[in-house]
Amino acid sequence: MRIGQFLKKIDAFPKIVDIEVNKTFSGALLTITSSILMTFLVVTELKDYLTPQITEELFVDTTRGHKLKINLDITIPTISCDYLSLDAMDSTGEQHLHIEHDIFKRRLNLAGFPIEEPKKENIQSSTSAKLNETKDQKSKEDEKPVCGSCYGANHNETHCCNTCQDVIDAYRERKWNPNTDNFEQCKNERKLEGEFAKKAFDEGCHIFGTLEVNRMGGSFHIAPGRSFSLNHIHVHDVQPFSSSKFNTSHRINKLTFGEEFGFGLTNPLNNLEVTSKETAIMYQYFLKIVPTMFVPKEGSPILRTNQFSVTTHQKSAVAISGESAMPGVFFSYELSPLMVKYTEKYNSLSHFLVTICGIIGGIFTVASLIDSVLHKVERQIRKKIELGKFT
């Protein structure tokens, strides 16, 4: 009995017996309001609990050996694919001769609709691909295959240069400056250019795919004309036209670097459309690439990608004094030494339960205090009405 009496004394929840219960209209309104608010906060907290939280960190990038994957999808609406070349350069300004790529070109009419199925692009000989195919077909039909001269740039006796681009590539690998006017292959191909010149400005071009380059600063561009190096300067031969004929309006449907996982990435050039009323405009995009790592919840692989910021510049490529320029769309990029790391985490169950208890208890306590004040005010008003002192 003594133990029972002691336990009764420490009861934190004493019971009041035979108390009069008086339910009021204000109390009912307060109950409904509190219930709605309580339900809303509980549902919001539950949604927040089920949604993974993303933490962000910034640290020095020490990763090595990864290739830089460039995903591009660009439309040039007023220049034929036959007169557009895609070139990639390293940080020293030298053209990449051997890179892994999966680039396609699709011919478009001026309304933007496809004319034929996309064809895989040969980056080293993009502008002369059609001419080379035509020449090869004629060679097979009219004469036996002949080993073309490389004009001293051949690697060995069996090395043949059957196209103009073969000669240019052979010279480029030896770091010689080619003069295409001296090459018979180039002279023959120029005779065929008249056939393609008729549709140079009657078609558009859709260029899309991926490039994989070394993880270092560099650039790539889309510009009219056959590209080659002359006195260590990268130039484009746009014959039989002049540079002022080309309108380099363009639409960047997509430009990203690395894998795409759709969370928190900054790719500011996606869906950018640039329309120019002038011709021979050089569009330059200077990109600052920030390596990014995404660490998902346990059991999922780590994703590595990149995001970037951009500044733009444009200028006329005609009659520029003191500087060299050519019409086209040019992208220069450099890698940031810092990496952004996103980590996906879930809230703990204990944190969720504590929060729910806090919501229910807090609203119930505040509602009780408000109800008490309202009830007291109501009683005072009634008492004054009974005494005839309420005005």
Side-chain angles (χ1 to χ4, degrees), residues 135-146:
K135 184 183 177 183
D136 290 343
Q137 289 175 359
K138 290 187 176 182
S139 296
K140 292 178 180 178
E141 294 173 359
D142 302 336
E143 58 185 33
K144 295 181 180 180
V146 178

Side-chain angles (χ1 to χ4, degrees), residues 252-297:
I252 303 175
N253 305 302
K254 182 180 72 172
L255 179 62
T256 60
F257 296 84
E259 300 298 328
E260 301 176 67
F261 52 80
F263 169 79
L265 296 182
T266 303
N267 299 308
L269 292 181
N270 286 0
N271 300 315
L272 174 67
E273 186 165 2
V274 179
T275 303
S276 175
K277 296 181 179 179
E278 302 178 15
T279 57
I281 299 298
M282 180 181 189
Y283 294 95
Q284 295 175 293
Y285 298 92
F286 301 96
L287 314 177
K288 187 71 172 184
I289 299 175
V290 181
T292 304
M293 180 167 59
F294 181 71
V295 183
K297 59 183 181 180

Side-chain angles (χ1 to χ4, degrees), residues 219-230:
S219 65
F220 62 95
H221 60 259
I222 299 173
R226 182 188 296 111
S227 61
F228 58 91
S229 296
L230 181 63

